[in-house]
Amino acid sequence: MPSISLTHTLRTASHFSRRTTKTYLNLSRSFSSTLRRNEINKVYSSPESAISGMQSNSTLLCGGFGLSGVPDTLIKQVQATPSITGLTAVSNNAGVVGGGLGLLLESKQVKKMIASYVGENKVLERMYLTGELELELTPQGTLAERCRAGGAGIPAFFTPAAFGTVVQTGELALRHNSDGSVAQYSTPRDVKVFAGKSYVMEEAIRGDYAFIKAYKADRLGNVQFRFSAQNFNGAMARNATTTIVEAEHIVDVGEIEPNAIHVPGIYVDRVVQSTADKGIEKIVNAKPESESAAESASLDSKRERIVRRAAKEFKNGMYANLGIGMPMLAPSYVGADVEVQLQSENGILGLGPYPQPGAEDADLINAGKETVTLLPGASCFGSEESFGMIRAGKINLTILGAMQVSARGDLANWMLPGKVKGFGGAMDLVSNPAKTKVVVTMEHTDKKGRPKILKQCEFPLTGRACVSRIITDLCVFDVDFTNGLTLVELADGVTADEVKSKTDAPFKVADDVKPML
């Protein structure tokens, strides 16, 4: 009996082994035959069908930076579907009044915004300050990494950005009462020290839905972006439970070259034709040489002095990132013998000048939302990679504006009392001062004549012990994070005593004080 049983078992195993092989071969042949298998097709016929089944009280990730790369077709469809409410919207910014996510704020379909910079959106500001909207401000690089981490299965990470600021200490107002008083503050972040440097723990963001704007997509869901319109779109597309892409061009499979696919179709669930016009927030054009010369001649003498001195900070071969305002003017004063690669945190390396009238491109903007061009050899990438470069210290120099700087190099440049703007990328840009030199350009006093260089900053900090040099209309200070300020240059006609009378922080005077220009 045992012998028969063993024989039967072996025959049965042999039978199934042969059958399994045949089945595998048959399945293999069937899968390779385009005539016998069902075709994958993620293309939906309309925006309405693309968002079908979308639930209220979901977390919605929205790509875009300013008005570039914004999924307006899908946003407008949500606006047209008032049953969808209570959304937590995650985006670099909250659109503008009458455009982008601003539409969903106005229709009261968003209950909470997680954003880096909300700019001039007065609707958001009013809703936030009167308790109609919860707002979680997040440094731009941290926001990009929180979205990237969520899509990569990483629940949390440590970043140097925002250590010692209200983000880390939990003193950000998330929600207000109707009378403007604070109803809820943010949660303090855990801090850990690695190799003698403090890092802040941030939790990943995970999306229920992601709205993505693409240049091209195919029926398999493969996606290609165009220039700086990639921004947050790539990281967010990889993140959500349901990723919905609106594409300017829906193309045949194979039309996008494999090495030109920015997001593989495995991350994308639905594709729909984009129908919304592309907007530009700030059209800025190159000026004729005669007009540029006239503008330079009419530039306020204080500001021109600061900008000309800032231009001396550039050294040949540098990679630099410039803040809005005076820092952006500095490259025009750099000599032809110095070649600098400018990086813009929305995803450009090799930033060029402003375009000629008529040559503006909605997919080419800088961090100030202004129209720009690309230099030969430029590259474009996602915001998560852009801030990886920044935090890693690959940027040699950043020049920023400031409201206040302390004697030990603390920087305050993101908030004035009563104003709701946001951090933007500044907290990330100053997070690695050992490798990225941080230079501040600002007028020495404010409009009321009060010092802006203080013993301690009075406004909320952007970063602690990060500013290496301060350039004002009166002088240049070098900053030692331990020992404080040293006066190293004076403007023409300015004395050390004058600087002392207009500076709230103590400083030493160098033995060989040089002229500023």
Side-chain angles (χ1 to χ4, degrees):
M1 186 71 175
S3 174
I4 295 173
S5 177
L6 177 60
T7 302
H8 179 73
T9 300
L10 290 173
R11 284 176 179 172
T12 302
S14 175
H15 172 75
F16 277 108
S17 176
R18 290 195 299 271
R19 288 290 299 273
T20 300
T21 303
K22 289 178 181 178
T23 300
Y24 171 78
L25 292 173
N26 287 337
L27 283 172
S28 177
R29 286 195 296 271
S30 176
F31 186 75
S32 66
S33 170
T34 56
L35 295 176
R36 295 182 59 185
R37 67 183 176 92
N38 291 324
E39 185 178 75
I40 297 172
N41 189 356
K42 299 180 180 181
V43 178
Y44 279 63
S45 59
S46 66
E48 183 179 8
S49 62
I51 71 162
S52 63
M54 187 172 178
Q55 299 295 308
S56 295
N57 302 308
S58 300
T59 297
L60 170 63
L61 312 178
C62 266
F65 187 94
L67 299 183
S68 178
V70 177
D72 286 307
T73 304
L74 293 170
I75 290 171
K76 289 177 180 177
Q77 185 58 53
V78 173
Q79 182 194 30
T81 313
S83 60
I84 301 174
T85 59
L87 297 174
T88 295
V90 183
S91 182
N92 176 67
N93 47 283
V96 295
V97 176
L101 282 173
L103 295 175
L104 302 189
L105 293 174
E106 293 170 40
S107 63
K108 307 291 180 69
Q109 289 170 275
V110 173
K111 69 176 181 181
K112 179 179 179 179
M113 276 296 315
I114 302 176
S116 163
Y117 185 79
V118 297
E120 313 300 328
N121 193 325
K122 296 299 182 184
V123 171
L124 181 144
E125 185 176 68
R126 176 185 54 76
M127 292 178 67
Y128 170 59
L129 294 176
T130 58
E132 295 181 70
L133 178 75
E134 185 176 337
L135 174 62
E136 182 182 333
L137 287 173
T138 303
Q140 193 175 136
T142 299
L143 181 63
E145 191 64 16
R146 289 177 72 186
C147 291
R148 189 205 68 82
I154 298 172
F157 57 91
F158 285 92
T159 174
F163 173 73
T165 73
V166 293
V167 174
Q168 179 243 307
T169 59
E171 296 172 276
L172 270 175
L174 292 180
R175 189 165 51 84
H176 290 84
N177 296 306
S178 58
D179 63 359
S181 60
V182 176
Q184 181 184 356
Y185 283 100
S186 58
T187 304
R189 306 299 199 253
D190 290 339
V191 174
K192 190 168 183 179
V193 177
F194 298 91
K197 184 177 174 69
S198 297
Y199 293 79
V200 177
M201 193 187 85
E202 289 283 356
E203 294 186 11
I205 294 172
R206 184 69 182 151
D208 297 309
Y209 300 91
F211 285 179
I212 305 302
K213 175 66 178 291
Y215 178 55
K216 290 182 180 179
D218 63 24
R219 62 172 174 79
L220 296 177
N222 295 313
V223 167
Q224 182 183 34
F225 301 113
R226 185 171 179 272
F227 300 141
S228 64
Q230 184 168 349
N231 50 67
F232 281 78
N233 277 298
M236 290 179 169
R238 292 171 170 84
N239 184 305
T241 302
T242 303
T243 292
I244 309 173
V245 172
E246 65 170 82
E248 293 175 50
H249 305 281
I250 299 177
V251 300
D252 292 335
V253 171
E255 185 170 325
I256 308 174
E257 291 292 329
N259 60 355
I261 292 172
H262 293 123
V263 178
I266 193 171
Y267 296 106
V268 175
D269 300 284
R270 305 176 187 182
V271 175
V272 69
Q273 179 67 50
S274 179
T275 57
D277 294 332
K278 295 195 290 187
I280 299 176
E281 194 165 337
K282 299 178 183 178
I283 296 177
V284 182
N285 296 122
K287 293 181 172 61
E289 287 188 18
S290 58
E291 192 174 331
S292 296
E295 183 181 59
S296 177
S298 65
L299 189 67
D300 179 272
S301 59
K302 290 182 179 181
R303 290 169 59 85
E304 183 182 10
R305 187 183 305 162
I306 296 168
V307 171
R308 284 186 180 277
R309 177 56 188 84
K312 291 185 176 182
E313 296 296 316
F314 296 111
K315 302 294 184 288
N316 194 51
M318 269 188 171
Y319 294 97
N321 182 293
L322 306 179
I324 306 305
M326 284 190 287
M328 288 293 289
L329 300 175
S332 61
Y333 291 91
V334 176
D337 58 331
V338 176
E339 183 178 9
V340 176
Q341 290 273 295
L342 296 182
Q343 194 250 25
S344 188
E345 59 259 39
N346 59 313
I348 297 175
L349 184 63
L351 201 62
Y354 295 126
Q356 294 295 325
E360 305 88 358
D361 190 322
D363 295 332
L364 268 178
I365 62 169
N366 63 16
K369 289 56 168 215
E370 300 169 330
T371 48
V372 291
T373 60
L374 300 177
L375 294 177
S379 56
C380 297
F381 33 83
S383 294
E384 73 281 11
E385 182 167 359
S386 181
F387 282 99
M389 298 174 188
I390 290 167
R391 288 189 302 270
K394 299 299 183 183
I395 306 300
N396 307 114
L397 171 70
T398 183
I399 304 179
L400 301 171
M403 298 164 187
Q404 295 174 342
V405 182
S406 81
R408 298 292 187 270
D410 299 338
L411 171 67
N413 79 342
W414 71 270
M415 193 190 87
L416 285 170
K419 300 289 184 183
V420 182
K421 296 283 188 183
F423 312 124
M427 287 188 175
D428 303 272
L429 283 163
V430 303
S431 67
N432 195 349
K435 292 186 177 180
T436 301
K437 183 178 182 180
V438 180
V439 175
V440 159
T441 56
M442 65 179 186
E443 293 188 17
H444 207 92
T445 59
D446 65 17
K447 293 178 180 179
K448 295 183 178 180
R450 295 171 298 195
K452 296 171 71 173
I453 302 174
L454 311 173
K455 295 183 185 70
Q456 292 185 332
C457 294
E458 297 167 351
F459 296 150
L461 293 185
T462 304
R464 289 190 180 276
C466 56
V467 178
S468 295
R469 177 163 286 173
I470 307 169
I471 300 172
T472 77
D473 51 304
L474 300 182
C475 65
V476 176
F477 283 118
D478 278 349
V479 186
D480 185 287
F481 302 148
T482 302
N483 298 317
L485 304 172
T486 300
L487 179 68
V488 295
E489 297 178 24
L490 280 170
D492 186 36
V494 177
T495 65
D497 285 339
E498 182 183 353
V499 172
K500 186 175 182 180
S501 70
K502 296 179 179 178
T503 306
D504 184 61
F507 60 87
K508 293 183 292 185
V509 179
D511 294 334
D512 56 340
V513 176
K514 296 179 171 59
M516 265 183 71
L517 295 172

